Structure formats: structure tokens, C-alpha cells
Amino acid sequence: MTNPPTTPAADLEWLRLDRQVCFSLDASTRAVKSLYRVVLKDLGLTYPQYLVMLVLWERGDQSVKQLGEHLRSDSGTLSPLIKRLEAAGLVRRERSAQDERSVQVRLTEEGAGLRDRALDVPRRFANATGFELEEIGALQERLDRLTAALDAAVQDEGSWRD
């Protein structure tokens, strides 16, 4: 009978739950969404609805497909959100005259006006965390770099595998 190979303690250290970036990101994501739930309550928006509104405020009318590309989400996830935003009077959905399969999402006057009320959301979020807006921005830049690196790694998985 042979003895199993021994693993150096330094390698085992990286298998601890608290050393897993996936766990830290997941825990942070849950905490961020919980805080946004509180911050967005006054606007009557959920976190996913807020993200849709951010795209529309920034980019104007969008097809559901375009919204999905910006939000990294599929139409099956977005459609119920958009329907709830429409029921709240914040957006309108219209079939494209050029392509009946495409649905355009447009802000209503009320939806456009909500933007002014949302201006304090980033500051309220930062204040609740104790971070300065600049620190939040720096964190976001690093997370964007991480996301780009992960996207590239998934696309090119053969190059980094042992």
C-alpha cells in the first residue's frame, strides 16, 4: 500500500473558503443587493429594475436585446422586469416597425423624471459603506478589469489550463 502524496501547507491554504475569490464576490454581491434594496425603496425600484433604468437614463430607447447586452442578461430575465416597470408607468414597450420581433423600451415622462430622484443613490450607497465615491470608483475599475480577464479566460480556456 502506498502513502498518498503530501500537499504543502501553502497549497492547502488556498483551498480555504475564506481564500476563494468566488465566495468573497458572491458574499459582496448579496450584501450590495441588500443595501440597494434599502437605498432604492424610496424610488419604488428593485435592484434589477434600477439597473434597467440606469441603462435607459444613460442611453435612451433600447431594444430588449440591447438592454440584455448592456446588463449581461437574457430577455427571459428582462421581460418580467420591463413589464413591472411598464405597469408602474416608468417605461413603454413598443414593437419595432422595422422588425416585429424586436421590442423597444422607452422611458415615460415619469420614468425620465425619476432620474432626478435617483441622483443621490450613489452617494447614499457610499455613505452607508463608509467608502468615499472615489474608493467605490477604484473598486469598480478593478472589478471591471477582473470581469474582462475572466471573460477572456473563458473564451480562451485552452491556453491557461495545465
Side-chain angles (χ1 to χ4, degrees), residues 121-127 129-140:
V121 168
R123 191 163 309 285
R124 288 180 64 202
F125 177 84
N127 288 344
T129 65
F131 283 71
E132 297 294 326
L133 282 174
E134 294 75 22
E135 291 177 289
I136 300 267
L139 174 61
Q140 181 188 357

Side-chain angles (χ1 to χ4, degrees), residues 63-65 94-104:
S63 69
V64 173
K65 181 179 179 181
E94 299 173 1
R95 291 241 172 243
S96 168
Q98 294 81 14
D99 182 356
E100 285 287 319
R101 297 169 296 174
S102 179
V103 175
Q104 286 291 117

Side-chain angles (χ1 to χ4, degrees), residues 47-93:
Y47 172 73
Q49 290 170 340
Y50 175 65
L51 296 181
V52 169
M53 296 300 288
L54 287 171
V55 173
L56 295 173
W57 290 328
E58 179 182 346
R59 299 182 176 270
D61 300 351
Q62 299 282 296
S63 69
V64 173
K65 181 179 179 181
Q66 289 170 316
L67 280 169
E69 289 168 359
H70 293 299
L71 297 172
R72 299 176 69 117
S73 191
D74 61 57
S75 63
T77 301
L78 287 174
S79 291
L81 289 173
I82 295 167
K83 285 179 183 178
R84 285 192 292 277
L85 288 169
E86 186 174 39
L90 300 175
V91 302
R92 276 190 336 269
R93 291 177 302 146

